[in-house]
Amino acid sequence: MKASIMPSISIIVPVYNAEKYLEACLESLENQTLSDIEIICIDDGSTDESFEILKRHAQKDTRLRLYAQENAGVSAARNRGLDLVQGRYVMFVDSDDIIAAQACELLMKQAQSHHSEIIVFAGKTFPTTKWKDSCWATRTVHYSASESVFALLNEAGSIPLMCNKLYANALIKRTNARFNTSLKLGEDHAFQMNIFPFAHGISYLNECLYFYRGHDESAVNQANQDWDEQARLHLEIVKYVIASWQKLNIIAKYNEALLRWVSDFFFDAARKCSFNTRQEVGAELKQLLHDTFDSALESTLDDTQWHNLHFIIDTPNVRNPKPLITFIYTRIADEKLSKHVLMSALMQYEQRIEIRIDNGYKTPELAKLVEHDVRATFYDKAQSSQLLDTITSPYVIFAQSNSAYMEGCVNHIFDRLHMIEYKNECAEKGVKPTPLARERYIRGEHFFPADVVVFNDSAKIVRNEDPFFALTPNYQLSYSSEKIYSYEALAPRVYNVVSLSPENKAYHVDFLKKHHEIWNAQQEFSMAYGALNVSACLPYARAILLMDRALLVTHSLTIKRASAASDYGKRITEMLEQTSTRNDVEQSTDTSGFYAALGSYLLALDDSINNYSIYEEIFPFMQACARNIQAHLGSTTWEDKDEIAQWNSLCTFSSQEHFNTKSNLHVNRLTEANTEALDELSAAWGNAARLDSMVHEFYHSISYKTGRVVTYPVRYLYYNIQKLIRR
């Protein structure tokens, strides 16, 4: 087909070793329903058959213009294409992707109907990649020139992708827009940040026109494999964008929006990288922001953006104060501590933590994680009896190898403790609590010193019981609205309420040190001895805080060898025998509640092993323990019918029959929990949609636009005065 002198659309295709997918890509371009296009292919030094494929297509379709260069990277190839385009509009297609046959035709119609200089459209990844599929346009809407930065930072599809946009060539020439060849990642994102602010109208089209191929060789997939490198590359993008906006003389006009972008853009990579790298990039980002923005601008951030930003820039100082909480991972048998479980502690939003890991868990993979996080260390099993003396944090969690904690676990615990202490102080002083004063208070070091903080797990495997399931309030005892109870207030169902599992509790270290002699320091709060130590400590607790929140995800216990499984079963039997013969249990007037809790704990262990070949070795010990506990239970049972069914199955069925029964019941619990979560998510989604509509209406209102225009000179003057003062 013959090329037009000035085609409607120029399509730039950078090509490097794409022989596997190039034919499909070119066919999708050559068969566009809009024929008035040119296809500019830049072969970036391919060493496979890509150039030969391009030559064949160029010979049969004169609209395809072929150029070759030595390998210089995708940004250099795209820049070469921008130097050569002749069309009124420009779009970019990667050599392994496909566009819909009507893509160019629909995009030209959209551009002409609104006289837009950027058109953003929808697409689809294959195979499906969720985060990339969140980067397409989701609705059809138009923004004027004065709304370009708002559209850039708030409308879905604007960033980070390059492939889902059509640009007016006039806009590219007017801004001299080019890709930064020094950026190893995020060159697409940086390009959008520099060109969007100058667009005379931006349209969004909710039409799926682009098909993005995901495969292991792609640049994006390779970059995502190293989060430390990602964080450093994100910092380079931030530096480049800030420098560009300063050079383009638009930073004063859009400084609030730019600071919000920095917080949103940088947070995800900083959260996932190692702590040591976060210290490094956080210090550099903090200095960059200090040199660029007035500190008063932070007041324009919403709460989430403020906390996200300070999560990054406050990292260098996080080791100076003592940690708030210590996670201790103790190895029992031959079970494995997965990277995912350890990462759940390392990636807590509250960074003032420390982590102690049993040397028995040490693998090259975990050793690498610990090497890159100064908060984590391995400890020798022989020194476990002195371990508590080395803890400097006020609280400790005895985590298990199958216990993953929600990223906000530590935040939720201390937010609650801070809130209780703040209310207590307000009551003592006779002042009314206020949100601002509470926020300042929470940032301090004051918190309510509960002896034990108890929380739930998402799948309800730990089995915390509602405190009022079998309790009748007693006027002689105090029942706090903050759900703080003494051991006596919860007796005789205290063990049912808090569970005998060790992993769903944070213990005050001073409380443990005070009663050090009553818990098994040598064997610690391990899975196989958890009930023994929990039951030993709780009678001394004067302040037990119950948090009605799931902060824990319990995974399957990974035991690699059958012999280790047998040893684990023996340890369970030993622990249960020691626990059930403790003096205070034998002397209790109502031991049935304790044995019901012991039965629940046994069921939690029962749920934690999902490999049948391993479970078969442990089952005889589990069933013997269950029958022993059953003899003490009497008429006391549980509130949950599934728990009753699992218990009866454990006591009476064979290993295979029971394994099938407990697996089905576990699926039922997960389904129920997921249904509740989906209902909550659906309600939240509806609220978010309504809020989004209100925000969009506000930012398009005449009063908002007028206010921005009227206040711009004042804001510009204020910013420049502050900049002069800092210099």
Side-chain angles (χ1 to χ4, degrees):
M1 190 173 291
K2 194 172 181 179
S4 170
I5 297 175
M6 186 178 181
S8 295
I9 296 178
S10 296
I11 304 174
I12 298 174
V13 186
V15 180
Y16 178 72
N17 289 352
E19 62 180 4
K20 287 170 63 177
Y21 313 110
L22 188 55
E23 291 277 7
C25 174
L26 295 176
E27 287 176 6
S28 75
L29 303 181
E30 292 164 350
N31 289 287
Q32 287 294 299
T33 56
L34 177 69
S35 60
D36 185 22
I37 63 173
E38 68 170 351
I39 306 166
I40 300 176
C41 295
I42 310 296
D43 183 80
D44 189 37
S46 296
T47 57
D48 63 0
E49 292 298 309
S50 295
F51 189 74
E52 296 302 318
I53 295 171
L54 291 170
K55 281 203 301 185
R56 288 200 304 271
H57 280 264
Q59 288 169 358
K60 70 177 183 180
D61 193 330
T62 58
R63 297 176 302 171
L64 193 154
R65 298 162 57 195
L66 174 58
Y67 301 88
Q69 64 181 33
E70 291 185 5
N71 181 250
V74 65
S75 292
R78 286 172 174 169
N79 286 341
R80 177 87 182 276
L82 287 173
D83 293 336
L84 297 166
V85 295
Q86 298 174 347
R88 293 168 54 202
Y89 286 86
V90 179
M91 68 184 297
F92 298 86
V93 175
D94 290 341
S95 57
D96 49 359
D97 297 339
I98 298 167
I99 64 172
Q102 73 278 22
C104 291
E105 182 180 355
L106 291 177
L107 292 173
M108 277 304 298
K109 287 180 180 178
Q110 185 74 5
Q112 291 167 350
S113 64
H114 290 286
H115 304 289
S116 302
E117 289 197 313
I118 300 178
I119 298 89
V120 185
F121 49 95
K124 183 71 185 72
T125 59
F126 65 104
T128 296
T129 306
K130 289 184 178 180
W131 79 263
K132 292 174 188 171
D133 276 338
S134 67
C135 299
W136 308 104
T138 57
R139 61 178 182 164
T140 300
V141 65
H142 178 74
Y143 289 89
S144 65
S146 63
E147 302 167 310
S148 59
V149 172
F150 177 83
L152 168 67
L153 300 180
N154 294 279
E155 189 65 45
S158 301
I159 44 182
L161 298 180
M162 196 74 221
C163 57
N164 68 327
K165 297 171 184 71
L166 183 74
Y167 302 91
N169 198 3
L171 171 64
I172 292 173
K173 290 179 177 178
R174 189 169 70 246
T175 58
N176 194 29
R178 291 297 185 272
F179 293 88
N180 184 342
T181 56
S182 67
L183 292 176
K184 297 179 182 178
L185 180 74
E187 69 283 348
D188 299 11
H189 199 130
F191 186 90
Q192 319 300 349
M193 294 296 293
N194 284 345
I195 199 169
F196 262 71
F198 300 97
H200 296 164
I202 303 169
S203 292
Y204 293 79
L205 181 63
N206 189 16
E207 290 280 350
C208 184
L209 304 177
Y210 196 98
F211 299 96
Y212 187 112
R213 189 189 305 270
H215 51 88
D216 292 339
E217 296 88 1
S218 72
V220 173
N221 282 343
Q222 289 176 12
N224 281 341
Q225 293 171 5
D226 187 343
W227 282 106
D228 282 2
E229 183 65 10
Q230 276 260 48
R232 296 187 183 97
L233 294 175
H234 274 61
L235 180 60
E236 292 305 310
I237 296 168
V238 170
K239 288 180 181 177
Y240 170 70
V241 170
I242 287 177
S244 297
W245 281 34
Q246 287 173 330
K247 186 177 179 180
L248 294 168
N249 201 30
I250 60 173
I251 199 167
K253 184 177 181 180
Y254 299 119
N255 54 7
E256 295 175 14
L258 183 60
L259 184 61
R260 288 195 294 272
W261 169 77
V262 171
S263 174
D264 294 339
F265 172 70
F266 210 95
F267 175 68
D268 195 49
R271 184 176 64 85
K272 293 178 180 177
C273 73
S274 71
F275 180 80
N276 294 3
T277 298
R278 197 181 309 133
Q279 284 185 311
E280 171 195 327
V281 298
E284 200 167 344
L285 179 64
K286 187 173 187 176
Q287 186 61 49
L288 176 64
L289 298 183
H290 177 269
D291 295 340
T292 307
F293 300 105
D294 175 14
S295 59
L297 271 181
E298 285 193 12
S299 63
T300 66
L301 300 175
D302 62 34
D303 286 346
T304 299
Q305 290 167 333
W306 188 93
H307 283 102
N308 287 353
L309 183 62
H310 280 269
F311 174 85
I312 306 165
I313 65 177
D314 287 347
T315 303
N317 301 320
V318 85
R319 285 292 294 173
N320 293 335
K322 68 179 182 180
L324 292 178
I325 205 161
T326 301
F327 291 85
I328 298 179
Y329 290 89
T330 304
R331 193 167 190 251
I332 304 309
D334 194 26
E335 81 274 20
K336 176 185 176 184
L337 177 63
S338 71
K339 177 181 177 180
H340 169 75
V341 167
L342 182 57
M343 285 293 289
S344 75
L346 293 173
M347 290 177 62
Q348 288 292 308
Y349 290 135
E350 173 53 71
Q351 299 181 82
R352 290 171 292 175
I353 64 170
E354 65 178 353
I355 300 169
R356 306 292 181 88
I357 309 163
D358 190 322
N359 252 330
Y361 283 132
K362 196 170 187 177
T363 62
E365 184 178 46
L366 296 192
K368 185 177 180 181
L369 286 178
V370 171
E371 179 187 348
H372 289 86
D373 197 315
V374 295
R375 303 169 302 171
T377 55
F378 289 101
Y379 73 89
D380 191 338
K381 187 80 168 181
Q383 300 171 342
S384 57
S385 59
Q386 290 84 42
L387 185 61
L388 197 63
D389 295 329
T390 67
I391 302 298
T392 59
S393 63
Y395 281 88
V396 61
I397 291 177
F398 294 94
Q400 309 302 303
S401 63
N402 61 332
S403 305
Y405 294 89
M406 303 292 191
E407 292 165 331
C409 174
V410 179
N411 289 81
H412 286 303
I413 290 172
F414 279 90
D415 280 353
R416 185 70 176 278
L417 293 171
H418 280 303
M419 171 61 87
I420 295 169
E421 184 66 14
Y422 174 62
K423 285 185 176 180
N424 290 345
E425 185 170 300
C426 288
E428 290 176 6
K429 294 180 178 179
V431 297
K432 185 178 180 181
T434 64
L436 184 60
R438 175 181 174 266
E439 181 67 23
R440 285 200 297 266
Y441 195 87
I442 285 178
R443 293 177 196 171
E445 297 295 325
H446 309 286
F447 53 83
F448 180 78
D451 294 330
V452 185
V453 180
V454 182
F455 45 90
N456 302 335
D457 72 305
S458 58
K460 301 180 180 178
I461 291 175
V462 170
R463 294 173 166 82
N464 303 71
E465 183 178 277
D466 180 350
F468 291 97
F469 168 63
L471 292 180
T472 302
N474 184 333
Y475 73 92
Q476 294 177 318
L477 297 174
S478 172
Y479 291 88
S480 167
S481 61
E482 295 293 347
K483 296 187 178 180
I484 302 169
Y485 305 95
S486 65
Y487 173 83
E488 291 80 9
L490 294 174
R493 302 286 293 188
V494 60
Y495 300 110
N496 308 77
V497 172
V498 305
S499 91
L500 286 169
S501 295
E503 66 267 34
N504 71 320
K505 299 169 186 67
Y507 291 88
H508 199 286
V509 173
D510 288 345
F511 167 70
L512 291 181
K513 287 180 178 178
K514 183 178 179 181
H515 304 289
H516 185 270
E517 70 283 354
I518 53 87
W519 63 280
N520 194 328
Q522 185 61 38
Q523 292 160 339
E524 300 183 18
F525 279 72
S526 57
M527 190 71 169
Y529 289 92
L532 178 61
N533 289 305
V534 172
S535 63
C537 283
L538 283 180
Y540 298 89
R542 293 295 171 263
I544 302 172
L545 172 61
L546 302 182
M547 295 185 64
D548 188 19
R549 183 182 285 270
L551 303 178
L552 170 69
V553 179
T554 304
H555 297 280
S556 299
L557 193 65
T558 305
I559 298 178
K560 292 180 282 188
R561 293 180 292 107
S563 59
S566 179
D567 179 57
Y568 191 79
K570 292 175 183 176
R571 288 171 181 263
I572 292 171
T573 304
E574 177 187 341
M575 178 274 298
L576 290 173
E577 287 176 352
Q578 290 183 34
T579 305
S580 63
T581 56
R582 281 186 44 245
N583 289 336
D584 61 319
V585 174
E586 293 297 323
Q587 295 170 10
S588 173
T589 56
D590 184 1
T591 60
S592 58
F594 173 80
Y595 282 104
L598 203 56
S600 291
Y601 179 70
L602 188 63
L603 291 181
L605 296 175
D606 191 43
D607 279 333
S608 68
I609 305 170
N610 291 327
N611 181 327
Y612 181 70
S613 62
I614 297 298
Y615 185 77
E616 194 174 20
E617 296 293 325
I618 296 179
F619 179 75
F621 300 98
M622 301 283 283
Q623 190 168 68
C625 290
R627 289 172 175 172
N628 183 28
I629 293 170
Q630 180 65 42
H632 294 85
L633 273 177
S635 59
T636 302
T637 184
W638 300 277
E639 59 177 320
D640 186 84
K641 65 180 188 303
D642 287 345
E643 199 167 37
I644 296 171
Q646 185 175 348
W647 180 257
N648 292 336
S649 171
L650 177 59
C651 289
T652 57
F653 289 172
S654 67
S655 61
Q656 183 65 68
E657 290 173 322
H658 174 64
F659 188 82
N660 294 338
T661 299
K662 81 173 184 95
S663 298
N664 291 334
L665 291 171
H666 184 54
V667 170
N668 290 342
R669 278 197 300 273
L670 288 175
T671 302
E672 182 182 340
N674 286 339
T675 301
E676 293 174 1
L678 285 173
D679 289 342
E680 293 177 4
L681 184 62
S682 178
W685 181 265
N687 291 334
R690 286 190 291 273
L691 180 60
D692 180 65
S693 177
M694 292 168 63
V695 169
H696 185 263
E697 183 178 343
F698 168 73
Y699 279 112
H700 283 73
S701 66
I702 294 175
S703 58
Y704 172 76
K705 294 176 183 177
T706 304
R708 295 293 293 178
V709 172
V710 170
T711 60
Y712 171 69
V714 178
R715 287 185 286 111
Y716 182 81
L717 180 63
Y718 173 77
Y719 171 77
N720 281 283
I721 291 173
Q722 290 295 323
K723 197 169 183 180
L724 287 171
I725 291 172
R726 286 201 304 274
R727 287 177 178 174

